[in-house]
Amino acid sequence: MNLKSLLLGFAAALVVVFDARAADAVVVEPEAAEYVRICDVYGAGYFYIPGTETCLRIGGYVRYDIAAGDAGSFDGANHVPDRMGNGTNSAWEKNARFTLKTWTGQQTELGALKTYTEGRINFGNNGGDYATGGTNWQARDKGLTLNFAWIQLGGLRAGKDESAFDTFIGYAGSVINDTLIPYGGLGTNVVQYYFEASNGFSSVISLEQGSGVVGTIDSYVPHVVGGLKFARGWGAVTGVVAYDSNYEEVAGKVRLDVTPMQNLSLFIMAGYGTDDNLLDDLNNTIDANGRGFYKQWGGNWAIWGGGTYKINQKTSFNVQISYDHDKNFAVATNIAYEFVPGFKVTGEIDYLEVGSKDTYNWTDATDKSNIGGIVRFQRSF
């Protein structure tokens, strides 16, 4: 037997031993990783919460506003006391905000089960005229606010929302200060039912608590809002009616939206409300000064109009013009530019002329004519 034969025999023996041991070895399979699944049922950005059939979306924005001008245009702080005793100054109004939003959705035998929440944290000062005192011109933590927190199953919605008097018919344009002439109360607890037909008609009925000193209901009787809409590709016609259970008054609004061109959208909205009890400050325990939770404009009627013209994919021009029965007149216009997806800068000019008939100044203006401006930086995600 030569050396080559010995080496071949030794190698064959090693192979046999190795195969025998390998046959007895226990192979541990790695656990399958549970990856996040995309949910496209409710739109972009949703994913399935692991281990459930609930879809979740998380979003929000970071915003920084810088405003200057007259307090009556909702821009700037006026008559701020000078630190060295040299009278008063006008100063910036600045505010930083972080907003977090969540959406959930799940299909059930009773329809889609959805939720929406939105919370905001603010730091900054408040605009206004401080000739008679006050310290809100000082920057500070403004705390956390709960702006939305509702549950919806099918057409039934309950929780914290904004009044259907505004959400169903739509806000007064895409300007920042769209309430120089106000068009209705916003935050409230609600119980609502939405109905949507396949022929373009939709409707809502909403029982609301209201908010604030004037708006919060003073008994078991809720405020009631009803709305009807007809929408097509050209635009929409919408109407809403609200009953103020505190002052037993009625207010309504009608609106026309049109899209004459792909890059142009226009709207006009008119409101009318009764106000006999709202003006009865002699007998009212809480004076409303003619403005309730829904009819917040001056006098019986008001009108708002405006639109958005998309100059290009990054730039849009927005305008709103408004006027009410008390001869208040307001204009707000801005240009919004999206530098990159998710980051937009908006520059706006606001003007308010206080009406001669206005017995209660909505914006706390101290001048007949008020003008100011605001720049907004916003990163949305």
Side-chain angles (χ1 to χ4, degrees):
M1 181 179 296
N2 55 29
L3 180 60
K4 182 177 180 181
S5 300
L6 287 173
L7 291 175
L8 289 174
F10 181 68
L14 287 176
V15 171
V16 172
V17 171
F18 179 79
D19 286 344
R21 290 182 178 273
D24 295 333
V26 177
V27 178
V28 179
E29 295 288 342
E31 294 185 5
E34 185 174 4
Y35 296 98
V36 174
R37 294 182 295 150
I38 300 299
C39 173
D40 57 5
V41 178
Y42 306 101
Y46 284 86
F47 61 90
Y48 285 99
I49 299 174
T52 75
E53 292 303 312
T54 298
C55 299
L56 171 66
R57 176 186 168 193
I58 300 173
Y61 60 82
V62 177
R63 173 188 293 174
Y64 186 52
D65 291 341
I66 304 173
D70 296 323
S73 64
F74 286 150
D75 303 300
N78 304 149
H79 295 107
V80 172
D82 188 273
R83 288 295 194 280
M84 298 180 67
N86 297 319
T88 62
N89 306 307
S90 290
W92 299 101
E93 178 187 358
K94 299 184 178 183
N95 191 74
R97 173 185 292 177
F98 169 65
T99 296
L100 183 65
K101 305 177 182 181
T102 69
W103 300 258
T104 68
Q106 180 180 344
Q107 294 300 312
T108 75
E109 63 273 14
L110 298 178
L113 176 60
K114 301 179 180 180
T115 67
Y116 175 66
T117 67
E118 181 177 329
R120 302 172 184 173
I121 302 174
N122 291 277
F123 177 88
N125 66 331
N126 290 84
D129 195 301
Y130 296 93
T132 59
T135 60
N136 283 343
W137 53 268
Q138 299 173 4
R140 67 204 182 279
D141 284 311
K142 298 180 181 178
L144 172 66
T145 59
L146 181 65
N147 296 80
F148 297 89
W150 51 255
I151 305 166
Q152 182 167 337
L153 178 61
L156 180 65
R157 178 183 297 183
K160 170 67 187 302
D161 201 350
E162 292 183 339
S163 172
F165 193 66
D166 300 315
T167 58
F168 188 75
I169 198 171
Y171 304 103
S174 298
V175 295
I176 296 173
N177 286 322
D178 65 342
T179 58
L180 292 171
I181 293 180
Y183 48 86
L186 293 174
T188 176
N189 286 322
V190 302
V191 177
Q192 302 173 329
Y193 190 82
Y194 290 87
F195 174 78
E196 187 167 350
S198 58
N199 57 1
F201 282 97
S202 59
S203 61
V204 65
I205 183 73
S206 180
L207 307 180
E208 304 184 350
Q209 183 184 25
S211 60
V213 175
V214 171
T216 304
I217 56 174
D218 55 9
S219 69
Y220 287 119
V221 181
H223 303 312
V224 182
V225 178
L228 181 65
K229 178 183 294 185
F230 178 72
R232 276 291 186 257
W234 51 263
V237 178
T238 313
V240 290
V241 176
Y243 171 71
D244 185 328
S245 68
N246 286 345
Y247 296 92
E248 299 180 356
E249 300 284 10
V250 176
K253 292 184 294 188
V254 292
R255 175 175 178 141
L256 172 65
D257 290 274
V258 294
T259 308
M261 297 187 295
Q262 187 176 4
N263 61 338
L264 177 64
S265 60
L266 302 171
F267 81 94
I268 186 168
M269 180 169 68
Y272 182 86
T274 60
D275 61 2
D276 289 345
N277 294 329
L278 293 170
L279 290 169
D280 191 9
D281 293 343
L282 180 63
N283 295 310
N284 289 336
T285 303
I286 297 177
D287 295 342
N289 298 298
R291 302 175 187 249
F293 187 66
Y294 299 104
K295 193 210 75 65
Q296 294 188 346
W297 51 88
N300 293 115
W301 56 264
I303 188 167
W304 303 261
T308 296
Y309 177 69
K310 197 167 181 61
I311 300 171
N312 53 47
Q313 288 192 341
K314 290 179 173 289
T315 313
S316 61
F317 170 76
N318 305 286
V319 64
Q320 183 227 73
I321 301 173
S322 53
Y323 185 76
D324 68 18
H325 191 190
D326 281 351
K327 298 185 178 180
N328 296 294
F329 173 72
V331 179
T333 183
N334 68 45
I335 291 181
Y337 183 78
E338 189 174 41
F339 282 84
V340 294
F343 178 58
K344 181 180 292 185
V345 178
T346 304
E348 176 168 304
I349 299 295
D350 304 304
Y351 174 79
L352 172 70
E353 182 174 333
V354 178
S356 58
K357 294 178 61 178
D358 198 353
T359 57
Y360 174 73
N361 193 328
W362 174 258
T363 68
D364 293 328
T366 56
D367 298 317
K368 174 72 173 177
S369 297
N370 305 266
I371 190 168
I374 182 171
V375 177
R376 169 169 291 175
F377 305 85
Q378 182 163 313
R379 167 66 168 106
S380 302
F381 58 90

